[in-house]
Amino acid sequence: MADANIRIPTDARDRLAEIAAAEGLSLRAYLAHLADTLLTPAERAERAERARKVLRQWNGYAPSTAEQAALDAELDRRLAEATAR
């Protein structure tokens, strides 16, 4: 596998290196792990659509676009509240 150089602020590099070390990984291995485990927006959308299909088949749950937006807003509100503590 070829390596690539990525320019980021020194503070960000140092923070990532500290997080990696705490997990027993080099910064290189940690970043590779992140790339392998994080989903792209398209992958998240695909996964969400599969979940909606499963729920629709299982129990008929089929929220409208407006209901989905309201549920997303409620989740965002609760996450913000939980992280503000």
Side-chain angles (χ1 to χ4, degrees):
M1 172 189 336
D3 286 340
N5 291 321
I6 300 171
R7 298 179 61 87
I8 62 172
T10 303
D11 291 347
R13 182 210 54 212
D14 293 347
R15 179 173 169 76
L16 288 169
E18 184 177 342
I19 293 167
E23 299 205 13
L25 298 170
S26 67
L27 180 55
R28 182 181 189 276
Y30 182 73
L31 292 174
H33 172 73
L34 282 178
D36 289 341
T37 57
L38 296 177
L39 299 175
T40 66
E43 291 166 334
R44 285 194 305 275
E46 178 186 340
R47 191 173 282 189
E49 183 55 34
R50 284 196 323 256
R52 280 190 290 276
K53 285 180 182 179
V54 168
L55 286 170
R56 194 170 26 254
Q57 290 171 351
W58 177 57
N59 67 6
Y61 181 70
S64 68
T65 302
E67 289 170 323
Q68 286 181 34
L71 291 167
D72 286 346
E74 176 65 11
L75 179 58
D76 289 344
R77 184 191 67 74
R78 289 182 184 204
L79 288 171
E81 182 180 294
T83 58
R85 295 180 187 174

